[in-house]
Amino acid sequence: MISIANEHIKVSFSKKGAELQSIKGIHSNTEFLWSGNADFWGKFSPVLFPIIGALKNDTYSFEDKTYQLPRHGFARDMDFDFEEINEHEVLFTLQHNEQTLKVYPFEFKLALRYKIHGSSVCCTYEVSNPGNKDLLFSVGGHPAFAAPLNKEGDYTDYYLQFNNDDELTYHHIVDNLISDQTSTIKLHNGKLCLKHELFYDDALVFKNLKSDSISLLNDKNYNGLDFNFKDFPYFGIWAAKDADFVCLEPWCGIADSVNHNQQLAQKEGINTLAPNGFWERTWQVTCF
């Protein structure tokens, strides 16, 4: 485990997947991330790259060749190189290699830069294209936050507060793919109460979320967090069945639709980066 800390929080990571694994309040001793209990879901905050969600039949085509990739891609299961920038900032990097090129025919450099300041953690995804052709990719986050915090209270004591939505229209998932079927949840003053049944049919996937900040709050005490994200066109909210966490997932990309033709260049939400290009997005969580 790799850790950085200040007087407010201590944050820990694994080199595997450059995965954030703990955000702990120094004074309150509160753990804000999910415990990683493998009986429900054994991850904490995986990076999703070079795809998000599932491909139709787990395959895609590019330049008349067919390739296979697992759900959410391969980066989350690979060991990243690590560099400590200073006592409050770390950088993890992953580059293409012989194995990645067999399933994803692009040269790339993916970096995850984590910074802490006050009681906030910033996660920045940085994508570079060292190749001589366009790089096609998706990237996104999957952090799981504990609910309840400190095991105080119940799941249903917690709610999500949206800063700019009064209703949520989400796409249903069918066999891991995005369908055209939608449902709408009416919010009361931007508030979505958590209950396990919300996620019994998989994640809630949003294509037109207006909010760029979501807070995890509760009715029992002051503890919670603010999750801020900008320029992520898609968003997912998910929890494993009956697990005491909620994932807040900002995405630049989305799973295949049920009707997708499996052409990577025509995939919804795919990002295109020119040779020698650079791309970045940041999300931030502030704990209290």
Side-chain angles (χ1 to χ4, degrees):
M1 293 283 283
I2 296 160
S3 297
I4 53 177
N6 60 21
E7 65 270 29
H8 300 287
I9 55 173
K10 180 179 180 180
V11 183
S12 300
F13 317 88
S14 170
K15 290 178 69 175
K16 181 180 179 181
E19 187 175 11
L20 178 63
Q21 297 199 329
S22 174
I23 304 174
K24 199 159 193 176
I26 297 294
H27 302 294
S28 65
N29 204 36
T30 300
E31 176 57 68
F32 291 90
L33 275 191
W34 158 244
S35 67
N37 183 345
D39 290 340
F40 294 92
W41 186 60
K43 293 187 178 293
F44 304 83
S45 180
V47 58
L48 315 182
F49 179 91
I51 60 168
I52 290 170
L55 298 169
K56 191 174 183 179
N57 299 322
D58 293 326
T59 64
Y60 70 92
S61 294
F62 181 74
E63 294 183 340
D64 298 323
K65 292 184 179 180
T66 299
Y67 302 87
Q68 288 191 320
L69 278 176
R71 190 180 190 187
H72 295 322
F74 50 69
R76 62 181 181 164
D77 294 316
M78 297 185 68
D79 285 335
F80 281 61
D81 292 326
F82 164 72
E83 179 183 357
E84 184 173 1
I85 305 302
N86 56 54
E87 61 180 338
H88 297 147
E89 180 179 350
V90 293
L91 181 69
F92 295 89
T93 56
L94 179 71
Q95 291 185 271
H96 65 276
N97 58 37
E98 183 178 343
Q99 296 304 311
T100 67
L101 290 170
K102 290 178 180 178
V103 296
Y104 179 62
F106 300 94
E107 296 181 22
F108 70 87
K109 182 177 180 181
L110 169 67
L112 271 68
R113 185 182 301 272
Y114 294 99
K115 295 181 182 179
I116 59 173
H117 55 92
S119 57
S120 298
V121 183
C122 286
C123 173
T124 300
Y125 304 119
E126 302 174 354
V127 181
S128 303
N129 181 1
N132 57 12
K133 66 179 182 181
D134 285 349
L135 168 61
L136 305 184
F137 71 96
S138 297
V139 67
H142 203 308
F145 299 105
L149 296 168
N150 291 331
K151 300 181 179 179
E152 294 178 0
D154 298 313
Y155 196 71
T156 52
D157 294 327
Y158 283 72
Y159 60 93
L160 299 177
Q161 182 72 51
F162 293 77
N163 74 327
N164 202 25
D165 286 279
D166 53 18
E167 65 179 25
L168 301 174
T169 297
Y170 65 92
H171 285 256
H172 291 244
I173 297 176
V174 177
D175 296 329
N176 293 327
L177 304 179
I178 306 299
S179 75
D180 292 331
Q181 181 184 359
T182 62
S183 294
T184 298
I185 301 172
K186 298 290 185 180
L187 304 181
H188 179 64
N189 295 325
K191 180 177 177 180
L192 175 66
C193 296
L194 289 183
K195 53 184 179 180
H196 292 302
E197 303 92 281
L198 272 175
F199 311 110
Y200 280 0
D201 293 325
D202 214 321
L204 309 182
V205 175
F206 306 101
K207 293 186 179 183
N208 298 294
L209 199 65
K210 296 176 183 177
S211 294
D212 59 10
S213 178
I214 301 173
S215 299
L216 176 63
L217 306 170
N218 73 90
D219 294 322
K220 299 297 183 182
N221 57 46
Y222 177 72
N223 288 130
L225 57 89
D226 295 326
F227 188 80
N228 296 285
F229 52 98
K230 274 190 176 182
D231 299 322
F232 288 88
Y234 304 97
F235 202 88
I237 302 177
W238 175 79
K241 186 175 182 180
D242 295 329
D244 286 340
F245 69 82
V246 60
C247 286
L248 302 178
E249 306 180 37
W251 299 337
C252 288
I254 195 170
D256 278 354
S257 72
V258 294
N259 300 314
H260 183 48
N261 63 12
Q262 298 177 267
Q263 297 295 319
L264 185 66
Q266 298 172 32
K267 179 176 173 62
E268 181 180 357
I270 200 74
N271 299 281
T272 301
L273 188 62
N276 300 311
F278 177 80
W279 179 102
E280 68 176 5
R281 295 289 187 277
T282 298
W283 56 260
Q284 175 180 293
V285 57
T286 301
C287 305
F288 48 84

